[in-house]
């Protein structure tokens, strides 16, 4: 297993190349630690499911480095744009209707919900992982929590399942984040809030996370 550091731009480029070759990495975000791979590499995506013991019926969300990239793969409505402008980069995952371009990118069927024609997206607030994503070929990264299915996620590296970590190809270490982890005895933060905007008339909070539901509702009321 390789170890990359956020403070070394060259190592982040090497990490991006590893992802392009089908590698699976563990990385820091502004929520919990994530695990991910190239969304267009079917074998890597299947391996990720196996590592997490994740049911294949649960599609995987994608991270990217810019709102511009979201517009490349999804239909961005006015309400969605309002939420992106306010909460991105940040701790809100938005499920949107995919567009025709998305279907032609060769993404795994496990990151694209064929039944609802939708895709879950987020621009994280961690600059390190955004730089890695920007350096990859697809400019997208499968971004799910680095934990075994049905077990809790964590924003502390030393709380991650050691076997899961050892079976990955690389880990990105953020020294500034590590110092915060060491100085804190309590768990801070949590997973992203997930909102489904595929039906604009009936937006749904799928998972309550860091971003409060009432703030999201307030923004949607203004946008309507």
């Amino acid at each position: 297993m390789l170890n990359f550091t956020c403070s070394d731009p060259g190592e982040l480029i090497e990490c991006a190349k590893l992802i392009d070759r089908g590698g699976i990495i563990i990385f820091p975000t502004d929520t919990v630690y994530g695990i991910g791979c190239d969304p267009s590499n079917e074998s890597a995506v299947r391996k990720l499911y196996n590592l997490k013991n994740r049911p294949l019926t649960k599609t995987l969300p994608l991270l990217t480095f810019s709102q511009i990239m979201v517009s490349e793969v999804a239909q961005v409505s006015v309400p969605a744009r309002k939420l992106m402008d306010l909460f991105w980069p940040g701790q809100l995952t938005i499920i949107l209707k995919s567009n025709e371009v998305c279907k032609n990118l060769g993404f795994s069927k496990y990151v694209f919900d064929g039944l609802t024609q939708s895709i879950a997206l987020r621009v994280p607030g961690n600059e390190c992982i955004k730089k890695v994503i920007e350096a990859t070929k697809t400019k997208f990264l499968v971004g799910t929590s680095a934990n075994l299915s049905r077990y809790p996620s964590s924003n502390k590296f030393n709380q991650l399942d050691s076997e899961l970590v050892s079976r990955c190809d690389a880990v990105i270490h953020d020294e500034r984040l590590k110092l915060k982890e060491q100085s804190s005895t309590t768990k801070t933060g949590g997973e992203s809030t997930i909102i489904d905007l595929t039906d604009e008339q009936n937006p749904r909070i799928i998972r309550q996370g860091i971003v409060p539901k009432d703030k999201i509702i307030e923004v949607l009321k203004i946008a309507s």
Side-chain angles (χ1 to χ4, degrees):
M1 182 181 66
L2 299 174
N3 289 278
F4 299 108
T5 59
C6 288
S7 58
D8 190 326
E11 290 191 6
L12 298 185
I13 295 295
E14 289 303 311
C15 184
K17 292 179 180 178
L18 176 65
I19 294 168
D20 291 339
R21 295 195 300 268
I24 294 178
I25 68 165
I26 285 179
F27 53 90
T29 74
D30 52 333
T31 55
V32 297
Y33 270 89
I35 184 172
C37 63
D38 176 359
S40 67
N41 189 311
E42 191 71 26
S43 61
V45 173
R46 288 296 294 265
K47 180 181 177 182
L48 189 150
Y49 270 98
N50 290 333
L51 288 178
K52 282 177 59 75
N53 293 326
R54 183 184 177 94
L56 290 174
T57 52
K58 295 180 64 176
T59 55
L60 292 162
L62 295 183
L63 302 181
T64 189
F65 71 96
S66 168
Q67 285 192 36
I68 295 175
M69 297 306 301
V70 172
S71 300
E72 293 289 322
V73 299
Q75 302 173 37
V76 181
S77 62
V78 172
R81 182 66 67 191
K82 292 287 186 181
L83 290 174
M84 292 176 187
D85 289 342
L86 184 60
F87 296 112
W88 283 5
Q91 302 152 333
L92 180 67
T93 298
I94 305 176
I95 301 175
L96 299 169
K97 285 284 188 180
S98 59
N99 60 24
E100 290 301 318
V101 174
C102 177
K103 299 173 185 178
N104 297 326
L105 289 177
F107 284 168
S108 166
K109 62 182 179 180
Y110 298 110
V111 302
F112 169 74
D113 191 322
L115 182 63
T116 61
Q117 303 292 300
S118 64
I119 190 167
L121 298 149
R122 183 165 83 92
V123 175
N126 183 284
E127 292 300 320
C128 177
I129 192 58
K130 284 200 295 181
K131 290 176 181 177
V132 172
I133 297 170
E134 186 174 7
T136 63
K137 290 181 179 178
T138 66
K139 314 299 182 187
F140 288 92
L141 179 72
V142 168
T144 183
S145 54
N147 59 295
L148 298 175
S149 184
R150 297 183 299 278
Y151 283 79
S153 56
S154 179
N155 63 349
K156 294 179 181 292
F157 182 77
N158 61 10
Q159 292 179 351
L160 300 182
D161 183 274
S162 58
E163 183 177 354
L164 175 65
V165 173
S166 68
R167 293 173 67 190
C168 292
D169 298 294
V171 175
I172 302 177
H173 297 281
D174 188 332
E175 293 302 321
R176 291 171 299 180
L177 184 60
K178 186 179 293 186
L179 290 174
K180 291 181 181 179
E181 293 172 8
Q182 293 172 346
S183 64
S184 174
T185 58
T186 59
K187 181 176 178 180
T188 58
E191 295 184 328
S192 67
T193 297
I194 302 176
I195 183 169
D196 186 340
L197 289 182
T198 53
D199 181 354
E200 292 184 25
Q201 304 304 316
N202 184 34
R204 296 183 298 129
I205 300 293
I206 304 299
R207 181 180 71 197
Q208 177 63 66
I210 298 176
V211 179
K213 179 180 178 180
D214 57 344
K215 288 189 176 181
I216 295 174
I217 293 174
E218 182 180 346
V219 174
L220 294 177
K221 285 181 178 179
I222 296 173
S224 62

